[in-house]
Amino acid sequence: MASSTATPVTAKDDTGSLRRLYFLRFAFATVWAVLVFASAHSLNPLSATLLVIYPLFDVACAVLDIRSAKANHGPVRGLYANVALSALTTAGLVAAAASGIPAVLRVWGAWAITAGAVQLIVGALRRRRGMAGQWPMILSGAISTFAGASFVAQAGKANASLGSLAGYAFLGGVFFLVSALRLRQSDRTGRAGV
């Protein structure tokens, strides 16, 4: 594999790699949401494993995003913050899974609030630099912060379920899909900042 730091990547290559990553994130979120929704009312080994896999996948995606951003001299601090938040969330979910669905919802809610704020900031910085397809990411980050608060609130209710996490992940995946499509449209038309 060629090193991404050896040769600068053009802006179009940068959006191409980001677009592919966004398509991958949509596909993963869709499959994950279906599997979690199928087991939403109980916390069993399958659902606990799925809960831990999601933030690990987020770490891997953020690392890929960092490589691309670095190659193009883009902002990476927020992406590093995302890696740290997702890694901490993974550990938190491992512990929370032993305590039940309310504990999982609290950890997931804290992650959604903080990661949503980071996503909003990263999207805004990319948008300011003229990168297309960032409005869905900015909106998704804002929605994530509000959804996180609702997960924390839901944790205090008697009928707490993982179903809302499935819906949240799927909606996040849809935002990644919309961003990927907007990046592709921008690449085809040669426009930036759409």
Side-chain angles (χ1 to χ4, degrees):
M1 179 181 344
S3 171
S4 64
T5 58
T7 308
V9 179
T10 66
K12 191 167 185 171
D13 288 341
D14 181 39
T15 59
S17 62
L18 194 57
R19 184 180 67 245
R20 288 185 296 276
L21 180 62
Y22 286 175
F23 278 128
L24 175 65
R25 291 188 74 137
F26 165 72
F28 177 84
T30 300
V31 171
W32 187 90
V34 168
L35 293 173
V36 168
F37 191 74
S39 63
H41 296 290
S42 66
L43 194 53
N44 56 49
L46 172 63
S47 59
T49 301
L50 288 168
L51 290 168
V52 171
I53 286 173
Y54 198 95
L56 285 176
F57 182 77
D58 196 59
V59 168
C61 289
V63 168
L64 292 173
D65 203 351
I66 287 167
R67 287 181 60 201
S68 176
K70 276 184 167 182
N72 293 285
H73 309 292
V76 294
R77 273 190 226 160
L79 297 170
Y80 280 120
N82 188 43
V83 168
L85 289 170
S86 295
L88 288 171
T89 299
T90 300
L93 287 170
V94 167
S99 297
I101 290 176
V104 166
L105 289 172
R106 286 183 189 98
V107 171
W108 199 283
W111 180 40
I113 291 166
T114 55
V118 169
Q119 183 178 12
L120 191 152
I121 292 165
V122 168
L125 290 171
R126 284 179 170 164
R127 173 81 178 140
R128 191 169 63 182
R129 287 185 59 222
M131 182 179 279
Q134 295 308 299
W135 279 116
M137 292 295 93
I138 293 167
L139 182 58
S140 176
I143 290 171
S144 184
T145 59
F146 292 115
S150 76
F151 298 146
V152 172
Q154 183 188 358
K157 296 184 179 180
N159 61 348
S161 164
L162 301 175
S164 58
L165 301 184
Y168 167 77
F170 180 72
L171 180 60
V174 169
F175 277 108
F176 278 114
L177 176 63
V178 170
S179 286
L181 294 172
R182 290 190 53 84
L183 284 169
R184 181 171 55 188
Q185 176 187 14
S186 175
D187 285 349
R188 285 183 178 165
T189 61
R191 292 180 296 153
V194 198

